[in-house]
């Protein structure tokens, strides 16, 4: 068995220092088969986020996020792939879906469309026929409107890189507006619901839909960012020193201390969208993907139940076995591969304590 491993320091939810051993393995998948180890084309650990397109985080969707995360409260399930009409056919729209155990998510996929302004009002153009369509947030509802209100730029914070977001019913801004390819079947855009009207009402607009990771600047994920525990401690210490040096209460505006810096919520590291984050997965679940394979309208496979025996040894004191928890599952459907990333964690005394260590080993215990 071939595992790619790495040790990553971080924090537990209680703020304690932890060392996490990560182990990743790649498997090939086939319809109605159990995934088997891929010895020919393994996918290594991603040390940084990978993007679609040119790789510009400002305008491009995330394809996969960095694997080097010490702790995630939930299991991320991600699909890197496309919607596919049956081989040899094209469609103007259809629904795609995924099922993990009993959890189901559905998207409606449209061919390219734009807004067409008419003498009275406007309408959506007929979707163009297509045979495949990527399933990432760059093609979902969202984006930035800098046209409908001159001198004003408004961004849809749930998905700044998407399509179709418009605030005012301005014909010049509406005509030719590119509409999203991916939508929620339960809340499909119509000409009557497209225009927001007032930016303050942005929360009533549809939730963006895709099977890829959300961006770290997406709402509400961004709200979880705060600061890591170490950085927050330093900020709070500086704040307390400032407070101690201030004149007595009532001496003026400068005597009001700054608010405490919010702490980072570990859910920030879970990039999977709602419906693709799981409190726990065993690693033997059956996965069903609808219309993501040109030859199999319903493609299903089973995860391999291949759990690594993780260990960490410091100061030559003997290996400490770490309980393995599944942290990230990524289906690379275009290459028919799936990767499983497991994590085992233990508390330690922090970076200062490591200065006295005489040795450090980690990895996977082989049978």
């Amino acid at each position: 068995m071939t595992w790619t491993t790495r040790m990553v320091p971080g924090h537990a939810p209680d703020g304690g220092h932890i060392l996490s051993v990560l182990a990743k393995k790649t498997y090939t998948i086939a319809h109605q088969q159990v995934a088997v180890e891929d010895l020919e084309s393994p996918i290594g650990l991603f040390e940084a986020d990978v993007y679609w397109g040119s790789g510009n985080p400002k305008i491009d969707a995330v394809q996969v996020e960095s694997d080097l995360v010490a702790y995630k409260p939930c299991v991320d399930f991600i699909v890197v792939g496309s919607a596919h009409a049956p081989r040899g056919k094209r469609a103007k729209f259809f629904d795609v879906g995924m099922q993990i155990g009993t959890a189901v998510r559905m998207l409606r996929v449209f061919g390219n469309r734009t807004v067409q302004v008419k003498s009275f009002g406007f309408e959506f153009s007929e979707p163009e026929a297509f045979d495949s369509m990527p399933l990432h947030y760059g093609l979902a509802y969202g984006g930035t409107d800098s046209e409908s209100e001159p001198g004003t730029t408004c961004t849809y914070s749930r998905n700044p890189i998407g399509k179709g977001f418009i605030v005012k019913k301005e014909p010049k801004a509406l005509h030719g507006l590119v509409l999203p390819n991916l939508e929620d079947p339960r809340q499909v855009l119509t000409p009557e619901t497209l225009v927001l009207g007032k930016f303050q009402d942005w929360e009533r607009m549809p939730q963006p839909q895709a099977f890829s990771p959300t961006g770290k600047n997406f709402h509400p994920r961004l709200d979880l960012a705060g600061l890591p525990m170490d950085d927050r401690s330093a900020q709070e210490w500086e704040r307390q020193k400032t407070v101690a040096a201030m004149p007595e209460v009532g001496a003026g505006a400068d005597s009001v201390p700054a608010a405490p810096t919010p702490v980072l919520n570990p859910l920030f590291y879970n990039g999977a969208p709602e419906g693709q984050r799981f409190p726990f997965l065993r690693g033997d679940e059956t996965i069903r993907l609808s219309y993501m394979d040109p030859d199999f309208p319903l493609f299903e496979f089973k995860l391999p139940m291949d759990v690594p025996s993780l260990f960490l040894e410091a100061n030559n004191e003997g290996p400490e076995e770490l309980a393995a928890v599944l942290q990230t599952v990524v289906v690379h459907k275009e290459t028919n591969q799936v990767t499983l990333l497991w994590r085992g964690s233990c508390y330690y005394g922090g970076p200062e304590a490591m200065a006295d260590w005489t040795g450090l080993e980690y990895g996977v215990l082989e049978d």
Side-chain angles (χ1 to χ4, degrees), residues 7 110 132 156 166 182 211-212 249 289 303 309 362:
M7 187 192 71
F110 291 92
S132 67
Y156 190 58
I166 188 166
L182 310 179
F211 290 155
S212 64
V249 174
L289 307 174
L303 296 179
S309 298
Y362 63 88

Side-chain angles (χ1 to χ4, degrees), residues 23-45:
K24 182 176 183 177
K25 188 183 286 191
T26 306
Y27 306 84
T28 59
I29 57 176
H31 181 47
Q32 296 183 336
Q33 302 294 317
V34 178
V36 296
E37 183 178 0
D38 186 344
L39 298 173
E40 295 184 0
S41 303
I43 299 170
L45 287 163

Side-chain angles (χ1 to χ4, degrees), residues 124-137:
F124 294 175
S125 68
E126 188 77 7
E128 297 177 5
F130 67 97
D131 51 18
S132 67
M133 186 71 65
L135 296 171
H136 60 68
Y137 277 98

Side-chain angles (χ1 to χ4, degrees), residues 145-166:
D145 175 14
S146 59
E147 301 293 334
S148 70
E149 289 189 276
T152 301
T153 297
C154 298
T155 298
Y156 190 58
S157 60
R158 286 176 175 144
N159 181 15
I161 61 171
K163 302 179 177 184
F165 179 67
I166 188 166

Side-chain angles (χ1 to χ4, degrees), residues 3 13 36 82 88 91 94 128 152 156 224 312 321 334 346:
W3 295 93
V36 296
S82 298
F94 55 87
E128 297 177 5
T152 301
Y156 190 58
L224 303 173
L312 186 145
E321 292 193 36
E334 301 304 293
C346 65

Side-chain angles (χ1 to χ4, degrees), residues 90-93 109-116 124-134 138-139 163 176-182:
R90 294 167 65 83
K92 294 183 178 181
F93 69 91
V109 186
F110 291 92
N112 294 334
R113 302 170 295 163
T114 59
V115 174
Q116 301 297 309
F124 294 175
S125 68
E126 188 77 7
E128 297 177 5
F130 67 97
D131 51 18
S132 67
M133 186 71 65
L139 302 181
K163 302 179 177 184
L177 178 70
V178 178
L179 294 167
N181 301 100
L182 310 179

Side-chain angles (χ1 to χ4, degrees), residues 265-298:
N265 186 323
L267 276 170
F268 174 76
Y269 292 115
N270 278 110
E274 186 177 354
Q276 292 175 222
R277 299 188 300 266
F278 300 93
F280 176 76
L281 290 178
R282 298 184 306 273
D284 64 349
E285 287 78 7
T286 296
I287 312 299
R288 295 180 176 89
L289 307 174
S290 64
Y291 290 102
M292 294 189 218
D293 188 295
D295 297 312
F296 299 100
L298 180 60

